[in-house]
């Protein structure tokens, strides 16, 4: 699999050769949110634009919006985290993925960070 | 850590759910030193500002009461303990300056105790961990030593569980906390404190009650002493009496919510299935770890306040079904 890319909003995405991007939140994000108890995901077929609020995560203490890192159409969402939201805390960057997006333009990845750059960014927070 | 009422407060240590369950099943330790502490001598003068029977409060006993303004609104909710030679107050952190100014303005001589810390040891194992105070009953107060530290201990708290609130000199607080942690208490933060008090159906000042809320609408009529209801001779008493003699326009109720999405403070409440104007609003809402379900406190129009009434909560533009539920959400476990 290709390397993950990261946003300043603490999301990760991994773009497959099929042009599908798998999207989730980072370990730093789940740690900051605390115990996640509810997640609302975009339905397959929904078209979303970069920067749109497209999912909601609720921890015991607060609700947080998840913003689309790139534009595209939702291909699939992850029923496992709806069933068991704590999976996002346990395994945020793998089985705790949120949804897959068929990207409008898989080459439009400007502004996203590498793992190393994201880790540096987190250290500055 | 988060800023809260001018203090840097821990939201969580291990995690809110783990800390919450530690309190329900064992013993949790909260640092609540941000709470205001003060003392006074003159119960007669103090009684003129609260609906509680303070003159009748026996030595060694504590009582929950309210500071009420001229309009019958709640300035603060607080604890008063009779320590024999003086009365001790525990005030909300965000309200302590306002309370002290109000008391002084009405001629009550109160001494603030800014150098006192306060720890809360809460949970079914609390009495085992603080066996020095195991003889107290719910709402009893005493002065004892814990590991050589002079403490004011009351058997009370803000979780619905058995437990103690333990005041001591600020410079002894760290040693006291370490003593209680070494005995097996689990450190818990503000997050668990909020979810615990909400499950216990206890009001949070600033969310569920404020200067515009009267004690009757907030289900706090129990804080009005029997003797005080004879003459209602406290500030705002005429208006609190009026509220008590009439059905309030709105009432604070508990709400169980379907699904898993919490309805936070501010969420509009509608009559079930209606799209009309809201009939109420959530004042506190969270995901209840003990119930594994979302719960809320909110004010609804009185004709929607009966237990079992179906409601819709409008979360992110969608109506989520809820039901008015008797409080507390989980039974209190006080040792009486």
């Amino acid at each position: 699999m290709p390397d993950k890319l990261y946003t300043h909003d603490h999301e990760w995405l991994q773009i497959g050769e099929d042009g599908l991007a798998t999207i989730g939140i980072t370990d730093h994000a789940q740690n900051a949110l605390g115990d996640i108890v509810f997640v609302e995901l975009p339905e397959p077929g929904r078209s979303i634009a970069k920067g749109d609020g497209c999912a909601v995560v609720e921890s015991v203490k607060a609700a947080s919006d998840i913003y689309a890192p790139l534009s595209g159409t939702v291909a699939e969402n992850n029923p496992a985290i709806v069933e068991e939201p704590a999976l996002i805390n346990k395994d945020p960057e793998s089985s705790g993925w949120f949804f897959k997006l068929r990207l409008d333009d898989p080459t439009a990845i400007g502004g996203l960070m590498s793992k190393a750059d994201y880790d540096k960014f987190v250290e500055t927070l | 850590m988060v800023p809260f009422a001018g203090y840097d407060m821990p939201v969580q240590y291990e995690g809110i759910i783990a800390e919450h369950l530690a309190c329900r099943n064992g013993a949790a330790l909260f640092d609540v030193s941000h709470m205001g502490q003060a003392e006074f001598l003159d119960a007669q003068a103090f009684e003129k500002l609260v609906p509680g029977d303070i003159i009748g409060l026996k030595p060694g006993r504590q009582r929950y009461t309210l500071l009420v303004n001229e309009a019958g609104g709640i300035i603060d909710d607080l604890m008063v303990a009779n320590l024999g030679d003086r009365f001790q107050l525990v005030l909300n952190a965000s309200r302590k300056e306002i309370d002290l100014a109000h008391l002084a303005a009405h001629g009550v001589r109160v001494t603030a105790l800014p150098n006192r810390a306060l720890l809360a040891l809460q949970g079914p194992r609390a009495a085992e961990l603080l066996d020095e105070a195991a003889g107290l009953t719910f709402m009893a107060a005493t002065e004892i030593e814990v590991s050589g530290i002079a403490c004011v201990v009351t058997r009370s708290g803000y979780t619905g569980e058995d437990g103690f609130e333990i005041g001591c000199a600020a410079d002894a607080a760290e040693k006291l906390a370490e003593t209680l942690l070494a005995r097996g208490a689990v450190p818990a933060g503000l997050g668990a404190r909020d979810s615990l008090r909400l499950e216990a159906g206890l009001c949070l000042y600033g969310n569920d009650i404020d200067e515009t809320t009267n004690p009757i609408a907030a289900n706090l009529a129990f804080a009005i002493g029997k003797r005080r209801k004879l003459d209602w001779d406290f500030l705002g008493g005429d208006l609190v009496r009026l509220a008590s003699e009439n059905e309030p326009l709105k009432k604070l109720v508990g709400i169980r919510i379907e699904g898993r999405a919490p309805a936070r403070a501010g969420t509009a409440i509608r009559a079930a299935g209606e799209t009309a104007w809201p009939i109420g609003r959530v004042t506190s809402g969270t995901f209840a770890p003990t119930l594994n379900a979302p719960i809320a406190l909110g004010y609804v129009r009185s004709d929607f306040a009966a237990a079992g009434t179906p409601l819709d909560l409008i979360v992110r533009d969608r109506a989520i079904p809820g039901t008015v539920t008797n409080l507390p959400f989980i039974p209190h476990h006080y040792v009486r």
Side-chain angles (χ1 to χ4, degrees):
Chain A
M1 283 294 274
D3 289 344
K4 285 199 184 93
L5 297 168
Y6 294 81
T7 73
H8 290 88
D9 294 323
H10 306 285
E11 291 145 359
W12 58 263
L13 71 164
Q14 193 163 36
I15 304 172
E17 281 168 14
D18 51 6
L20 272 185
T22 304
I23 291 161
I25 65 168
T26 66
D27 187 55
H28 173 82
Q30 72 74 21
N31 195 41
L33 288 167
D35 296 315
I36 295 168
V37 295
F38 173 79
V39 61
E40 192 174 290
L41 297 173
E43 290 302 319
R46 181 171 153 195
S47 173
I48 50 182
K50 180 177 176 175
D52 280 357
C54 58
V56 176
V57 180
E58 298 248 17
S59 66
V60 179
K61 59 186 175 198
S64 304
D65 286 315
I66 303 300
Y67 301 100
L70 294 173
S71 299
T73 304
V74 178
E76 197 185 334
N77 63 30
N78 185 1
I81 60 169
V82 175
E83 198 67 29
E84 190 198 345
L87 190 58
I88 303 165
N89 294 115
K90 282 181 212 148
D91 193 18
E93 302 205 18
S94 180
S95 60
W97 62 276
F98 277 47
F99 57 92
K100 291 185 184 181
L101 203 56
R102 181 158 307 282
L103 299 176
D104 290 346
D105 178 2
T107 62
I109 55 170
L112 298 175
M113 290 176 277
S114 67
K115 168 84 175 143
D117 288 345
Y118 175 72
D119 288 345
K120 269 185 231 159
F121 166 65
V122 167
E123 276 174 31
T124 66
L125 298 178
Chain B
M1 300 293 279
V2 294
F4 182 84
Y7 293 81
D8 273 334
M9 298 287 293
V11 171
Q12 61 174 38
Y13 297 86
E14 189 79 8
I16 294 174
I17 293 179
E19 293 161 26
H20 181 109
L21 297 177
C23 180
R24 288 275 180 254
N25 301 319
L29 185 69
F30 303 82
D31 179 359
V32 291
S33 301
H34 59 303
M35 305 287 287
Q37 297 186 65
E39 55 189 32
F40 68 91
L41 298 174
D42 187 347
Q44 230 147 355
F46 185 79
E47 255 203 3
K48 294 195 163 51
L49 301 177
V50 301
D53 182 353
I54 306 304
I55 293 169
L57 182 64
K58 293 190 174 73
R61 298 301 299 173
Q62 179 174 249
R63 179 159 285 159
Y64 172 82
T65 196
L66 308 164
L67 281 171
V68 178
N69 64 24
E70 290 86 344
I74 301 168
I75 296 172
D76 199 4
D77 64 336
L78 56 145
M79 290 289 196
V80 188
N82 184 344
L83 297 177
D85 60 347
R86 67 196 189 281
F87 292 86
Q88 183 195 264
L89 294 173
V90 177
L91 311 165
N92 278 302
S94 61
R95 304 297 292 174
K96 57 190 176 189
E97 304 302 335
I98 292 160
D99 296 347
L100 294 173
H102 173 75
L103 288 161
H106 288 85
V108 184
R109 294 174 66 115
V110 178
T111 308
L113 301 171
N115 296 319
R116 298 284 290 179
L118 190 66
L119 302 181
L121 178 68
Q122 300 281 298
R125 287 191 63 213
E128 178 194 324
L129 301 193
L130 191 68
D131 62 347
E132 295 94 331
L136 300 178
T137 55
F138 181 60
M139 294 297 253
T142 189
E143 294 182 81
I144 52 171
E145 283 198 355
V146 178
S147 280
I149 301 163
C151 296
V152 173
V153 180
T154 63
R155 195 155 194 169
S156 62
Y158 193 44
T159 62
E161 295 301 324
D162 182 24
F164 304 92
E165 291 197 343
I166 312 155
C168 70
D171 58 11
E174 195 175 337
K175 188 185 163 203
L176 179 62
E178 275 167 7
T179 300
L180 296 170
L181 293 172
R183 293 182 188 183
V186 172
L190 273 189
R193 185 168 161 81
D194 188 57
S195 54
L196 288 158
R197 70 91 192 169
L198 197 41
E199 284 186 343
L202 302 172
C203 288
L204 172 62
Y205 195 92
N207 274 44
D208 311 307
I209 49 176
D210 60 31
E211 293 206 15
T212 69
T213 333
N214 80 64
I216 308 300
N219 294 327
L220 299 175
F222 72 88
I224 308 169
K226 252 187 212 160
R227 179 174 60 77
R228 308 306 306 277
K229 287 182 190 169
L230 299 177
D231 43 21
W232 301 89
D233 60 340
F234 55 92
L235 190 68
D238 47 348
L239 289 169
V240 175
R241 177 185 191 164
L242 197 65
S244 77
E245 289 169 350
N246 295 280
E247 176 79 354
L249 295 176
K250 56 179 190 172
K251 278 185 190 165
L252 187 67
V253 296
I255 305 166
R256 285 287 295 259
I257 299 158
E258 286 181 22
R260 291 183 62 88
R264 309 285 178 182
T267 299
I269 304 171
R270 288 197 193 129
E274 300 283 337
T275 53
W277 201 250
I279 52 96
R281 205 160 281 280
V282 170
T283 49
S284 289
T286 193
F287 187 85
T290 311
L291 299 166
N292 200 31
I295 56 170
L297 289 177
Y299 285 91
V300 296
R301 239 168 57 192
S302 293
D303 46 334
F304 291 90
T309 306
L311 301 170
D312 281 342
L313 295 103
I314 312 306
V315 178
R316 291 182 283 275
D317 299 327
R318 272 206 299 271
I320 299 180
T323 308
V324 176
T325 308
N326 286 324
L327 294 173
F329 292 101
I330 66 144
H332 293 158
H333 294 110
Y334 303 142
V335 175
R336 294 187 189 271

